[in-house]
């Protein structure tokens, strides 16, 4: 970086926005779908997963970006895996020692972060060819985009599957007495595929309309 | 960029060395705290099912020492063999062969025995389920159940850790009218709708929708765990000293 660039320059904001919307990891890159299915039965677990992912992706991106000139390309994927797994295990151990209650709630999710394709994908696609600060932001922006979609899937799933949001009852008792029933399928994996499909359709539709109007 | 094989091997070795050193350090440094957390967790889980919620909530507010004290006052640990005889000098912590040495937690209030807690475990759908099962001092009425470790799908099988599921067990019976061990069965759907005979409902609890496999697993592990303790229950019900 020969020229001085602000830590939050316009270009960086643009890149951030792009990964939240146009190049959203879930809807555009179709990465991280497995965890999008597993953790979206409840809004709370989805949020925890997003926070965990944001932490791990931004840090692993930063570390790999710092090492990028030294990593032999033949074994780079394995090096990513070692760095990511080490980070995740450290997070898990620290949680177990100092925030035991929280670590119990997170249970399998912390481990699941290792397998999230976004972490690996960003390390390979971005951190290997960009500086540490840009890579850190890249991790955050991808996590934000991931989080946006995870919540968009989790909210209808919890609402129609259990009648609650974040554990608070939304659908009143009287509705159940009138014969309303929770849709059990919302708690199963297929519903996540259906909602995800609808969301991607909706998003593409919005983009196409905008493109027509703007004459892009 | 191409690197020599020697460099690649060296780099891989170095990264592995640094990472494993880091992990060893973290694991070693945090071991004591984690073990303490686990012990408190175990004690809290036993306290949770013996029905001293108010005292437990108060002790939790006061810190770990208060929890240890409450446990020491209200719970007596016993280890028994498969015939139901007490093995002297053993505590649940130093059990060597879990198949032959079984722990029982007797809850006491002063000198009076108020209930019995046994550990339950068995295979679930994805993972082994671990929990505690608590009975009133008649060794027939269920006082509570809790699962403290499992890896079932959150929102589905994972619901076994939720109060709504565990509350269903309270007040159920484990022995039939004929005195045979029946255990408690988790039905598919609502017990009220599935079991038409009202007198029978005290042996059944509501299932978890979308998690039939986990529900069945709970039924099975309860039955097998209670089977192991049946000799002990029989001797105690025949009037033998419990402690």
């Amino acid at each position: 970086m020969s020229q001085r660039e602000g830590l939050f320059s316009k270009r960086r904001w643009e890149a951030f926005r792009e990964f939240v919307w146009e190049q959203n990891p879930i809807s555009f890159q179709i990465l991280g779908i497995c965890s999008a299915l597993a953790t979206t039965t409840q809004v709370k677990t989805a949020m925890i997963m997003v926070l965990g992912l944001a932490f791990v992706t931004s840090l692993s991106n930063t570390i790999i970006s710092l090492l990028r000139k030294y990593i032999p390309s033949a074994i780079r994927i394995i090096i990513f895996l070692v760095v990511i797994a080490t980070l995740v295990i450290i997070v898990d151990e620290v949680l177990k020692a100092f925030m035991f209650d929280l670590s119990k709630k997170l249970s399998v999710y912390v481990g699941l972060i290792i397998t999230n394709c976004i972490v690996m994908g960003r390390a390979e696609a971005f951190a290997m060819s960009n500086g540490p600060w840009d890579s850190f932001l890249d991790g955050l922006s991808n996590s934000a985009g991931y989080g946006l979609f995870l919540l968009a899937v989790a909210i209808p799933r919890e609402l129609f599957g259990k009648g609650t949001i974040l554990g608070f009852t939304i659908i009143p008792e009287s509705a159940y007495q009138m014969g309303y029933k929770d849709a059990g399928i919302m708690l199963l994996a297929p519903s996540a595929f259906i909602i995800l499909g609808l969301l991607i359709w909706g998003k593409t539709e919005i983009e196409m309309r905008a493109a027509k109007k703007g004459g892009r | 960029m191409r690197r020599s094989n020697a460099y690649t091997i060296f780099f891989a070795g170095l990264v592995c060395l640094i990472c494993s050193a880091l992990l060893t350090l973290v694991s070693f440094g945090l071991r004591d705290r984690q073990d303490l957390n686990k012990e408190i967790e175990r004690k809290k889980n036993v306290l949770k099912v013996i029905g001293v919620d108010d005292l437990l909530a108060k002790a939790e507010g006061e810190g770990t020492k208060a929890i240890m004290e409450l446990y020491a006052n209200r719970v007596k640990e016993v280890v028994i063999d498969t015939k139901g005889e007490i093995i002297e000098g053993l505590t649940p912590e130093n059990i060597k062969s879990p198949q032959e040495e079984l722990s029982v937690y007797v809850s006491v209030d002063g000198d009076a025995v108020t209930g019995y807690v046994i550990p339950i475990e068995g295979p679930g759908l994805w993972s082994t389920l671990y929990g505690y099962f608590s009975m009133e001092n008649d060794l027939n009425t269920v006082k509570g159940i809790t699962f403290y470790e499992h890896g079932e799908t959150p929102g589905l099988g994972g619901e076994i850790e939720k109060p709504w599921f565990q509350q269903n067990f309270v007040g159920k019976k484990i022995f039939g009218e004929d005195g045979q061990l029946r255990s408690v069965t988790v039905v598919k759907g609502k017990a009220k709708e599935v079991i038409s005979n009202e007198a029978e409902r005290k042996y059944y609890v509501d299932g978890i929708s979308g998690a039939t496999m986990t529900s069945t697993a709970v039924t099975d592990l309860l039955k097998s765990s209670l089977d192991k303790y049946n000799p002990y229950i029989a001797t105690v019900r025949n009037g033998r000293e419990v402690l």
Side-chain angles (χ1 to χ4, degrees):
Chain A
M1 265 176 274
S2 51
Q3 280 167 311
R4 275 237 182 117
E5 191 185 358
L7 280 183
F8 298 99
S9 66
K10 198 166 172 242
R11 180 185 66 80
R12 288 185 167 132
W13 272 119
E14 274 301 301
F16 194 96
R17 204 192 48 103
E18 192 159 306
F19 283 113
V20 174
W21 188 248
E22 280 98 341
Q23 294 204 42
N24 184 294
I26 291 190
S27 77
F28 184 77
Q29 308 174 53
I30 319 286
L31 286 178
I33 298 291
C34 18
S35 57
L37 301 184
T39 62
T40 51
T41 49
Q42 288 166 22
V43 176
K44 197 165 121 201
T45 50
M47 279 161 80
I48 289 168
M49 186 67 189
V50 173
L51 289 180
L53 184 85
F55 182 82
V56 172
T57 324
S58 46
L59 272 188
S60 76
N61 259 6
T62 312
I63 293 172
I64 284 161
S65 168
L66 287 170
L67 293 174
R68 70 186 186 280
K69 299 211 172 86
Y70 310 102
I71 298 176
S73 59
I75 55 165
R76 64 186 189 286
I77 301 289
I78 295 174
I79 299 289
F80 299 163
L81 201 63
V82 171
V83 170
I84 294 163
T86 307
L87 271 176
V88 170
I89 295 170
I90 289 176
V91 171
D92 197 28
E93 293 278 313
V94 170
L95 283 177
K96 267 188 201 148
F98 294 101
M99 285 181 268
F100 192 69
D101 287 332
L102 185 67
S103 92
K104 262 194 313 173
K105 283 197 193 101
L106 294 173
S107 61
V108 293
Y109 295 119
V110 179
L112 268 182
I113 295 171
I114 302 178
T115 65
N116 195 312
C117 336
I118 297 174
V119 192
M120 216 42 147
R122 294 324 292 172
E124 166 77 358
F126 196 89
M128 274 306 271
S129 47
N130 286 282
W133 174 245
D134 275 319
S135 302
F136 178 80
L137 287 181
D138 181 74
L140 279 190
S141 57
N142 273 278
S143 310
Y146 172 76
L148 182 77
F149 262 76
L150 231 61
L151 286 187
V153 176
I155 288 171
R157 281 186 82 182
E158 189 178 338
L159 181 62
F160 297 117
K162 283 164 70 187
T164 58
I165 298 267
L166 276 172
F168 296 108
T169 312
I170 301 289
I171 294 174
E173 193 57 38
S174 55
Y176 289 100
Q177 277 159 11
M178 284 163 70
Y180 174 82
K181 271 199 175 143
D182 286 332
I185 190 177
M186 280 295 171
L187 297 177
L188 304 174
S191 76
F193 274 121
I194 296 168
I195 296 173
L196 212 51
L198 291 174
L199 284 173
I200 295 174
W201 175 27
K203 179 178 166 258
T204 317
E205 192 70 28
I206 294 172
E207 277 173 349
M208 276 167 58
R209 294 217 174 144
K212 256 185 216 156
K213 250 189 209 161
R216 272 207 278 176
Chain B
M1 70 202 97
R2 294 284 304 161
R3 308 264 193 182
S4 70
N5 284 347
Y7 177 84
T8 304
I9 292 168
F10 167 76
F11 188 87
L14 190 70
V15 168
C16 289
L17 207 67
I18 292 173
C19 286
S20 46
L22 248 166
L23 289 181
T24 314
L25 207 72
V26 169
S27 148
F28 191 74
L30 300 176
R31 174 79 45 80
D32 288 348
R33 275 197 81 100
Q34 291 179 354
D35 286 348
L36 182 69
N37 280 338
K38 272 195 199 126
E39 193 191 333
I40 290 169
E41 179 68 13
R42 184 176 65 85
K43 295 191 164 169
K44 273 203 316 207
N45 276 310
V46 174
L47 288 170
K48 227 180 259 172
V49 284
I50 63 170
V52 288
D53 295 350
D54 303 349
L55 292 170
L56 178 61
K58 192 164 153 270
E60 274 185 314
E62 283 167 20
T64 53
K65 226 179 177 174
I67 294 173
M68 298 288 214
E69 217 165 88
L70 179 65
Y71 185 84
N73 284 337
R74 301 302 290 259
V75 181
K76 299 280 175 258
E77 299 171 340
V78 188
V79 175
I80 55 160
D81 62 20
T82 47
K83 294 194 188 68
E85 296 302 325
I86 293 172
I87 308 173
E88 297 292 340
L90 269 184
T91 61
E93 270 123 298
N94 52 29
I95 281 179
K96 287 199 184 65
S97 52
Q99 286 307 315
E100 282 124 50
E101 295 160 2
L102 312 168
S103 31
V104 179
Y105 303 87
V106 181
S107 76
V108 291
D109 191 356
D111 286 335
V113 172
T114 54
Y116 300 84
V117 178
I118 61 167
I120 47 177
E121 65 169 84
L125 174 58
W126 306 117
S127 61
T128 307
L129 315 179
Y130 299 91
Y132 290 106
F133 182 79
S134 151
M135 294 158 280
E136 301 281 355
N137 59 5
D138 63 358
L139 280 163
N140 183 13
T141 313
V142 182
K143 204 169 182 181
I145 187 171
T146 177
F147 288 97
Y148 61 88
E149 199 183 317
H150 71 83
E152 301 301 286
T153 324
L156 298 172
E159 292 291 293
I160 55 170
E161 64 178 33
K162 294 287 166 64
W164 75 261
F165 179 70
Q166 298 178 356
Q167 275 302 317
N168 282 334
F169 285 83
V170 178
K172 301 287 173 186
K173 307 281 179 192
I174 55 171
F175 282 95
E177 305 298 340
D178 56 356
Q180 290 298 307
L181 181 68
R182 286 191 59 165
S183 185
V184 179
T185 304
V186 185
V187 300
K188 190 175 174 171
K190 298 254 181 273
K192 232 196 302 187
E193 289 158 18
V194 181
I195 310 297
S196 50
N197 183 351
E198 207 167 316
E200 278 286 290
R201 275 185 212 149
K202 63 184 178 216
Y203 302 110
Y204 296 91
V205 295
D206 297 349
I208 301 165
S209 53
T212 309
M213 299 283 276
T214 307
S215 302
T216 316
V218 172
T219 304
D220 293 345
L221 77 90
L222 255 184
K223 181 81 172 64
S224 68
S225 299
L226 283 169
D227 270 339
K228 277 197 295 189
Y229 283 88
N230 204 9
Y232 173 77
I233 295 176
T235 54
V236 172
R237 289 181 112 193
N238 285 336
R240 209 211 38 217
E241 284 284 315
V242 282
L243 287 171

